[in-house]
Amino acid sequence: RLGAKTPIVRGAALMSIAGFSCFFFTQSFAGFFFGMAVLAFFWSPDGSKLAYLALESVNGRIGMRCLVWDGATTRELAAFLPSRVLLRDYLPYFDQYAQSHRIWSPDGTALVFAGTLANGESGVWVQAIEEGVEPVNLGPGVSAIWAPADRR
């Protein structure tokens, strides 16, 4: 069950500040429709892609899926059950953590998350943003972020 404080957005759109154009990027993914529930979203370091977490059933439980939108298409990545720390302490405040807690790798080629995949494996995962690539388990953990590129 999602906590009462967990924000859920019905559909997500990108709006131009230069004009009045609006693009509903959650409509561009086959299998989802305008009413999909988006829990959080994160811009890539170069601003060219948007990763977002959407509700999805994982083994009959409420889970989420990582998706990446590049301005034209949406890639479906891992579906997982989030760790309690991710669900309770991070997702409700994702907009406040967007700059300090980065899920994007510094080069914008991968995402990191903590949770349990559909196969039952838990831990911290690195997910390349290419569709069809399986996430890599880094080991046990309940929370994960990338260090900024200038702090390595």
Side-chain angles (χ1 to χ4, degrees), residues 8-13 23-39 52-57 65 67 74 76:
I8 295 179
V9 178
R10 289 275 180 224
F23 176 74
F24 288 92
F25 63 86
T26 55
Q27 289 178 316
S28 64
F29 176 63
F32 286 104
F33 50 90
F34 175 72
M36 77 181 292
V38 175
L39 296 173
Y52 58 101
L53 301 174
L55 285 180
E56 181 163 313
S57 175
R65 178 173 295 279
L67 300 106
T74 301
E76 176 182 356

Side-chain angles (χ1 to χ4, degrees), residues 66-88:
C66 293
L67 300 106
V68 174
W69 179 69
D70 64 9
T73 60
T74 301
R75 292 183 209 125
E76 176 182 356
L77 303 177
F80 64 100
L81 298 169
S83 70
R84 287 182 192 255
V85 170
L86 178 62
L87 189 61
R88 181 192 64 216

Side-chain angles (χ1 to χ4, degrees), residues 17-118:
I17 60 171
F20 295 103
S21 62
C22 181
F23 176 74
F24 288 92
F25 63 86
T26 55
Q27 289 178 316
S28 64
F29 176 63
F32 286 104
F33 50 90
F34 175 72
M36 77 181 292
V38 175
L39 296 173
F41 50 89
F42 312 89
W43 286 104
S44 64
D46 68 0
S48 66
K49 294 175 276 305
L50 187 67
Y52 58 101
L53 301 174
L55 285 180
E56 181 163 313
S57 175
V58 177
N59 294 335
R61 296 175 59 195
I62 296 174
M64 56 187 63
R65 178 173 295 279
C66 293
L67 300 106
V68 174
W69 179 69
D70 64 9
T73 60
T74 301
R75 292 183 209 125
E76 176 182 356
L77 303 177
F80 64 100
L81 298 169
S83 70
R84 287 182 192 255
V85 170
L86 178 62
L87 189 61
R88 181 192 64 216
D89 300 333
Y90 184 65
L91 287 180
Y93 314 104
F94 80 90
D95 56 333
Q96 296 172 36
Y97 288 126
Q99 295 301 311
S100 62
H101 291 65
R102 295 170 176 91
I103 68 163
W104 281 95
S105 63
D107 64 1
T109 62
L111 304 171
V112 66
F113 64 91
T116 304
L117 298 183

